[in-house]
Amino acid sequence: MAKSKSKGLYPSHVAFMLIFLSLAMYLFFSIWPIAYSIYVAFTDANNYNIASEPRIRELQAQRANIINYLQNNRENVLKQVYAVDNYLGNAYSSLLTLKQIIQSSTPQNFSVAKISEIRGTTDKALAYASSIITSNTTFLYYYANLGDVVSKAVTLIDGGIWADIDKIVGFKLILTEDDLAQLRTSVVPKIDQALSLLQTARDMLRQIETNYDSFVASATKGLDEEIDKISMHFVGLKNFETLFSDSRFPNSIYKTLLFVLTSVPLKVAVGVFLAFLFSSELIYGRKIMRAALLVPWALPVLLSVTTWRMFMAPQMGPLWYFLNGLGIDINIYNREWDAFLAYNIVEMWLAYPFIMTVTMAAITSIPKELIESAMVDGASVWQRFKDIMLPLISRPVLFASILTAGASLQAFMVPLLINNGGPTKDIQFLWFPRTTGGVNEMMILFGYNRAYLDQLYGLSAAAYLVVVAILFIYALIWYFLIYKRTTPGGM
């Protein structure tokens, strides 16, 4: 019997299954966050509704239970509605009788006992009505503002009518004309108000009797409003309109582009200069010094930027004291362009090791014979650098410049840790309306602050989509106008 040949570690169908699962997982974990972020940019996502699905499901289940209960117990609920109507009717009649007694009584026929009897009847009826309204077996409290109306009536009767009667009548057995006049002046208007509230409540109850479905809808209205409040809603282009409704975001785009134009030449110039300087064999100990110059690349960004901030801090930083001694006043917290200059210095410190490393690698690839022949011909150091070395290292330096320009377009940690894109002042950019914000807030920092300070996640996602569009345009410019033109055989 011939042995079957092994074609691999796994049978073909197992290998294809593993490949398919791997691709599916990769696409899910790569595309899903991007797709969700794009979706959020067109919603009103905020701290209330960004992750509210569990709470929404809980409220929806509670809403469904209330609807099912009210529909399945219609007859029982309506019986209790009738009972509440009767109790409120009794209280209404008692108060009406009280009003008539106060208006028609004289000192000779006024009966304190009768007033006490009416009070007991009224309070008893209102207590029964309130207990039914607030009961979880009826949900009447959620119908329109029935519960509030009855509560106001009870408060007015207890704290107004009975309180005034107790104050005027007290323990008197016989009232005077002045006492009756006070009762008519202070108590009767409050009785009229209570009668109006009770009548309003009874009208609501009769609406339930005639239109039970509207009562069911009202019973869940509060839940519907809460569900709507914590649900994300599609708002179309509203977030993008908000971004450009004032000067803050356009100014952040301007400052980011300006930062690219200032920081990239500075980083490239320092990196190329140091690479050229320490590629010379005339520098003693250049290997150790080159290794030391790579330290900023190895240090955590948080540590580096925080150290620079303390170094330049007004009234306490060594650099501030040094410059102040020279008559130069610098304040990275209160002055816009001082802070912007600090961003450039720190960004240069963080990025020059990369430029230097790329440039030194390119310099080492230059044939020594070219340099030596130029020296024999009497070329100066500057001439050798300008005419021989720079043309030969231009492509690697250009590539490094493009990469560091992309990093500067995404500037975040430096402005965040220096002064959070400050100082905070009035911003007026071109024709956009004036507003208040961080005058050095870069694009990425703007989106971060909208998400983590204002908790407007939809607005933040919209800002990042604009950033992605700018980066995409930058990539197209780099590819078609720079990369293809400098590639051998390109345009």
Side-chain angles (χ1 to χ4, degrees):
M1 183 176 178
K3 293 182 180 180
S4 60
K5 294 182 179 179
S6 176
K7 296 183 179 181
L9 183 62
Y10 299 106
S12 298
H13 67 280
V14 175
F16 282 119
M17 182 180 68
L18 292 175
I19 293 172
F20 175 78
L21 289 176
S22 299
L23 287 174
M25 292 181 65
Y26 172 78
L27 291 175
F28 176 80
F29 288 109
S30 299
I31 295 176
W32 164 245
I34 298 173
Y36 185 74
S37 298
I38 295 174
Y39 163 71
V40 168
F42 295 92
T43 68
D44 61 348
N46 53 56
N47 58 314
Y48 293 107
N49 59 26
I50 190 65
S52 58
E53 287 79 8
R55 178 59 179 164
I56 290 175
R57 288 194 293 269
E58 179 183 340
L59 293 173
Q60 289 174 338
Q62 186 177 347
R63 178 181 180 275
N65 290 335
I66 292 175
I67 292 175
N68 291 334
Y69 174 83
L70 292 176
Q71 290 176 345
N72 295 333
N73 295 272
R74 179 186 182 114
E75 296 300 325
N76 181 51
V77 172
L78 286 176
K79 285 180 182 179
Q80 297 190 70
V81 170
Y82 300 145
V84 174
D85 192 10
N86 289 331
Y87 287 131
L88 294 181
N90 293 337
Y92 186 93
S93 300
S94 298
L95 290 177
L96 197 58
T97 302
L98 176 64
K99 178 181 177 181
Q100 293 171 354
I101 290 174
I102 293 174
Q103 288 178 328
S104 61
S105 293
T106 64
Q108 290 75 24
N109 63 10
F110 184 83
S111 174
V112 176
K114 183 64 175 175
I115 298 296
S116 298
E117 180 183 348
I118 292 174
R119 181 173 184 171
T121 302
T122 303
D123 289 346
K124 185 177 181 180
L126 290 175
Y128 285 142
S130 298
S131 65
I132 296 175
I133 290 173
T134 57
S135 172
N136 288 332
T137 61
T138 62
F139 297 97
L140 291 175
Y141 188 85
Y142 296 102
Y143 179 67
N145 59 340
L146 175 62
D148 291 337
V149 171
V150 174
S151 296
K152 289 179 181 178
V154 171
T155 301
L156 179 61
I157 293 170
D158 287 340
I161 297 175
W162 304 140
D164 286 354
I165 290 177
D166 290 339
K167 181 180 179 181
I168 297 170
V169 176
F171 296 100
K172 299 176 182 178
L173 297 177
I174 299 176
L175 297 185
T176 64
E177 286 292 347
D178 290 340
D179 295 332
L180 289 174
Q182 289 183 35
L183 286 175
R184 295 186 185 107
T185 302
S186 64
V187 176
V188 171
K190 294 178 180 178
I191 292 176
D192 289 336
Q193 294 177 28
L195 290 173
S196 177
L197 290 171
L198 292 177
Q199 186 59 49
T200 300
R202 297 187 70 191
D203 291 340
M204 292 181 182
L205 291 169
R206 286 163 187 168
Q207 291 174 3
I208 295 175
E209 297 171 7
T210 57
N211 190 352
Y212 189 80
D213 291 337
S214 67
F215 161 63
V216 175
S218 295
T220 58
K221 183 179 179 181
L223 293 174
D224 291 334
E225 291 175 350
E226 187 173 356
I227 290 172
D228 182 72
K229 180 181 178 181
I230 64 175
S231 298
M232 287 197 299
H233 303 93
F234 181 79
V235 295
L237 299 176
K238 183 179 179 181
N239 288 326
F240 298 92
E241 295 173 0
T242 302
L243 288 176
F244 295 95
S245 63
D246 57 40
S247 296
R248 193 169 185 179
F249 185 63
N251 182 73
S252 72
I253 297 176
Y254 160 69
K255 277 300 178 67
T256 303
L257 296 178
L258 182 62
F259 181 67
V260 172
L261 293 176
T262 55
S263 66
V264 172
L266 181 62
K267 291 184 285 187
V268 173
V270 172
V272 171
F273 171 76
L274 291 175
F276 176 73
L277 180 64
F278 290 103
S279 64
S280 173
E281 297 181 356
L282 299 177
I283 303 297
Y284 181 74
R286 66 182 185 279
K287 293 184 179 179
I288 297 176
M289 297 178 70
R290 282 189 308 206
L293 288 171
L294 295 178
V295 168
W297 205 1
L299 291 176
V301 175
L302 178 62
L303 175 61
S304 295
V305 180
T306 304
T307 302
W308 272 100
R309 184 184 66 185
M310 296 173 63
F311 185 64
M312 296 183 290
Q315 308 296 330
M316 59 182 296
L319 179 61
W320 182 88
Y321 278 109
F322 174 75
L323 294 176
N324 192 58
L326 298 177
I328 302 173
D329 185 20
I330 183 172
N331 193 317
I332 62 173
Y333 297 145
N334 296 329
R335 294 178 184 169
E336 175 181 356
W337 296 109
D338 289 358
F340 191 79
L341 176 61
Y343 297 167
N344 279 269
I345 294 173
V346 176
E347 183 76 5
M348 178 272 295
W349 163 265
L350 295 173
Y352 83 78
F354 170 68
I355 303 294
M356 186 181 75
T357 302
V358 173
T359 305
M360 290 184 67
I363 290 175
T364 57
S365 66
I366 298 175
K368 291 185 178 181
E369 292 78 6
L370 290 177
I371 306 298
E372 292 173 353
S373 62
M375 294 175 64
V376 171
D377 292 338
S380 65
V381 174
W382 170 248
Q383 289 174 329
R384 294 198 301 271
F385 173 75
K386 179 175 66 73
D387 297 330
I388 298 177
M389 300 179 67
L390 191 58
L392 293 174
I393 65 172
S394 59
R395 279 183 55 79
V397 171
L398 177 62
F399 180 74
S401 302
I402 290 170
L403 292 180
T404 195
S408 294
L409 277 172
Q410 303 175 66
F412 169 67
M413 289 294 288
V414 172
L416 172 68
L417 296 176
I418 293 292
N419 62 355
N420 197 29
T424 300
K425 295 181 179 179
D426 286 343
I427 303 173
Q428 177 64 65
F429 182 74
L430 298 180
W431 61 85
F432 295 95
R434 181 182 296 273
T435 188
T436 301
V439 292
N440 288 318
E441 198 173 44
M442 306 295 177
M443 294 187 298
I444 300 295
L445 182 58
F446 175 91
Y448 173 85
N449 285 335
R450 300 296 73 73
Y452 291 96
L453 294 184
D454 302 337
Q455 297 184 322
L456 299 175
Y457 302 112
L459 188 64
S460 175
Y464 283 141
L465 280 188
V466 175
V467 173
V468 169
I470 293 174
L471 291 173
F472 180 71
I473 293 172
Y474 166 76
L476 290 179
I477 294 174
W478 166 71
Y479 180 75
F480 288 104
L481 299 183
I482 299 176
Y483 177 77
K484 291 191 72 174
R485 291 180 181 274
T486 57
T487 301
M491 293 185 298

